[in-house]
Amino acid sequence: MVGNHDRRVTCLDALKAAPRDANGFVQGTRTTEHGLFVFLDTLDETSHAGEMCAKRLGWLASTLAAAPADMPLVVFMHHPPFPVGVHAMDEIGLKQSAEFAEVIAPYRARIRHLFFGHVHRPIFGSWGRIPFSTLRGTNHQVWFELDQSAPHLASHEPPAYGVVLIDDENLVVHSHDFLDQSLRFPFAPPAGMDGRDYALSFPAR
């Protein structure tokens, strides 16, 4: 997937298995036992905001129309297609949010999950009843601030990646702070030791 700090040609040169449509955009599909995974290119190389031009929206429309009517869909994109409440990031979200919503409208009930990046925050919820999730980045984070007048701040909160467990009935997203160095310890206290005393016996780090 390409994001706002990427270059499309560089991505395709370096990642030979990256999806590519007939117009050269980094988007495509993968048919899985749990549905059709749809990967979208929202890169605008002149802006940090997201872009889905008429060609990309047309590809998405024809791809969704060609999918079997009973096939579930899972959608992946870099830019969120709706505001998430962090004003500085909403300013550089997907510019064609209304057009995107119109294209997917007939298929909303079949979209099992929408994954996106860009906002560098752990955010989960639903958009028009489509479940969505996004995670912190692996470089820097965007500070949690819902005040529209606040400055745009970055932070060094721990980076994370996601692990998705999916089957025919469930889709579970785990966010893993992979650089966390906090102390691990057995949950149950040793025999004969009070649970509170056991918990308090571990020094803070």
Side-chain angles (χ1 to χ4, degrees):
M1 305 298 298
V2 284
N4 56 302
H5 297 285
D6 296 324
R7 291 293 178 264
R8 195 172 285 111
V9 170
T10 304
C11 172
L12 292 171
D13 284 346
L15 302 173
K16 300 304 182 184
R20 184 184 325 213
D21 71 9
N23 295 303
F25 294 109
V26 187
Q27 52 186 23
T29 63
R30 176 174 293 180
T31 301
T32 78
E33 61 184 311
H34 304 302
L36 183 69
F37 288 14
V38 182
F39 307 96
L40 302 178
D41 181 335
T42 61
L43 174 60
D44 176 0
E45 294 187 278
T46 68
S47 167
H48 284 298
E51 171 80 25
M52 284 206 77
C53 60
K55 289 181 179 179
R56 280 175 277 184
L57 288 169
W59 177 89
L60 175 60
S62 60
T63 296
L64 296 178
D70 59 347
M71 179 174 283
L73 307 166
V74 181
V75 179
F76 301 80
M77 59 199 302
H78 183 75
H79 293 80
F82 57 90
V84 298
V86 179
H87 181 65
M89 300 310 295
D90 290 340
E91 291 270 284
I92 54 172
L94 182 66
K95 289 177 288 188
Q96 293 79 19
S97 56
E99 294 88 340
F100 177 79
E102 183 178 356
V103 169
I104 68 166
Y107 311 96
R108 278 183 172 270
R110 290 166 51 195
I111 299 177
R112 296 189 62 183
H113 204 85
L114 169 64
F115 292 96
F116 57 84
H118 193 53
V119 295
H120 293 233
R121 296 285 330 150
I123 307 174
F124 314 90
S126 59
W127 170 54
R129 299 191 178 182
I130 298 174
F132 72 82
S133 61
T134 186
L135 305 174
R136 289 198 293 265
T138 53
N139 178 53
H140 68 276
Q141 315 313 326
V142 170
W143 185 247
F144 179 58
E145 179 56 76
L146 300 180
D147 184 348
Q148 292 191 6
S149 63
H152 183 29
L153 298 175
S155 75
H156 287 297
E157 296 167 272
Y161 61 76
V163 175
V164 180
L165 306 179
I166 183 171
D167 59 30
D168 290 340
E169 299 296 327
N170 305 297
L171 190 154
V172 177
V173 182
H174 291 268
S175 176
H176 178 50
D177 297 344
F178 59 92
L179 294 184
D180 177 57
Q181 296 297 312
S182 61
L183 187 66
R184 277 74 163 169
F185 54 90
F187 186 79
M193 187 175 186
D194 177 75
R196 184 173 184 275
D197 292 339
Y198 171 67
L200 294 175
S201 69
F202 290 93
R205 284 178 34 172

